[in-house]
């Protein structure tokens, strides 16, 4: 016979009087209140905008730092037309130097006429790097001006050169007109003759030259008439 403990009944009565706790899965849950949809959308847009601004400013700062430390090459940076012309000239010099080192460079020898002591001087031979014929024609014109001692020859630019059949079109800057005006009629006639003869004897089939000023037909007037086609008299 099992003897029952006198304290067991008291313990069971105490347990029975305690309130029963609901099970975990039976406890009421509090529903989380979500922020309104519009507020969430605006928050995400703000985060995206902040990241974009931070990335843009960070990139600009890094590029400026690289420029200051010469990690980039500012000498090759082009900011205006003058920088572009200098860069093209440097590239051309590098190309010519590389061709000369490799032995592939070709030279062309041109016969240049000029004005000396009030007459057409004997032609001078000058070598140029072989390029397009139009480029060599432009170089020949500038050389004739320099050999003739034309006032302000360094300010005269050959803007364009093109050919049509037997006619060469020389598009020069307005400084050419000023130079002719300072030379007078006789010297100007001799200079144009030297240019035309240089074109004729070096660049077949060219036999005549048409002058343009700043890509337009010249205005009449001045010591010589630039509105007409210039050519050497026929040789009998």
């Amino acid at each position: 016979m099992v003897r029952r403990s006198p304290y067991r009944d008291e313990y069971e009565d105490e347990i029975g009087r305690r309130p029963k706790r609901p099970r975990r899965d039976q406890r009421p849950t509090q529903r989380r209140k979500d922020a309104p949809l519009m507020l969430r959308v605006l928050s995400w847009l703000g985060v995206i905008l902040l990241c974009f601004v931070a990335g843009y400013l960070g990139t600009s700062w890094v590029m400026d730092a690289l420029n200051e430390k010469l990690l980039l090459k500012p000498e090759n940076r082009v900011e205006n037309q003058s920088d572009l012309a200098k860069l093209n000239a440097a590239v051309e010099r590098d190309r010519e130097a590389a061709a000369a080192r490799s032995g592939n460079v070709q030279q062309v020898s041109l016969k240049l006429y000029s004005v000396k002591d009030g007459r057409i001087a004997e032609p001078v031979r000058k070598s140029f790097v072989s390029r397009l014929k139009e480029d060599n024609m432009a170089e020949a014109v500038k050389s004739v001006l320099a050999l003739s001692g034309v006032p302000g020859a360094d300010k005269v630019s050959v803007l364009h050169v093109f050919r049509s059949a037997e006619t060469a079109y020389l598009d020069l800057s307005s400084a050419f007109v000023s130079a002719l005006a300072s030379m007078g009629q006789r010297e100007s006639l001799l200079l144009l003759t030297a240019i035309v003869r240089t074109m004729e004897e070096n660049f077949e089939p060219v036999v005549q030259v048409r002058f343009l000023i700043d890509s337009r037909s010249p205005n009449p007037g001045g010591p010589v008439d630039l509105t007409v086609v210039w050519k050497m008299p026929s040789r009998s």
Side-chain angles (χ1 to χ4, degrees), residues 67-192:
N67 283 333
E68 291 178 0
K69 294 181 180 180
L70 300 180
L71 293 180
L72 298 179
K73 296 180 179 180
E75 67 271 11
N76 289 341
R77 186 172 53 197
V78 176
E79 296 181 351
N80 50 48
Q81 191 68 24
S82 177
D83 291 344
L84 179 60
K86 292 179 181 178
L87 180 59
N88 289 336
V91 171
E92 185 65 25
R93 287 195 300 269
D94 292 342
R95 185 182 298 126
E96 293 176 1
R101 289 192 298 268
S102 63
N104 294 329
V105 64
Q106 295 182 357
Q107 299 285 335
V108 57
S109 179
L110 301 181
K111 186 191 297 186
L112 305 177
Y113 290 88
S114 60
V115 180
K116 294 289 184 181
D117 300 326
R119 61 184 182 85
I120 303 293
E122 291 295 321
V124 175
R125 284 281 180 180
K126 186 175 181 180
S127 296
F128 298 89
V129 176
S130 181
R131 302 188 184 92
L132 292 176
K133 183 174 289 188
E134 287 77 7
D135 293 337
N136 289 331
M137 292 169 71
E139 291 294 332
V141 171
K142 290 189 288 186
S143 297
V144 169
L145 297 179
L147 290 172
S148 301
V150 175
D154 56 329
K155 298 179 181 179
V156 178
S157 300
V158 181
L159 305 179
H160 303 94
V161 175
F162 51 95
R163 294 171 296 144
S164 178
E166 298 179 345
T167 304
Y169 291 82
L170 303 181
D171 185 8
L172 307 176
S173 63
S174 57
F176 182 66
V177 177
S178 301
L180 294 179
S182 65
M183 293 173 64
Q185 184 179 30
R186 175 177 170 76
E187 294 291 324
S188 296
L189 286 172
L190 291 174
L191 177 63
L192 295 185

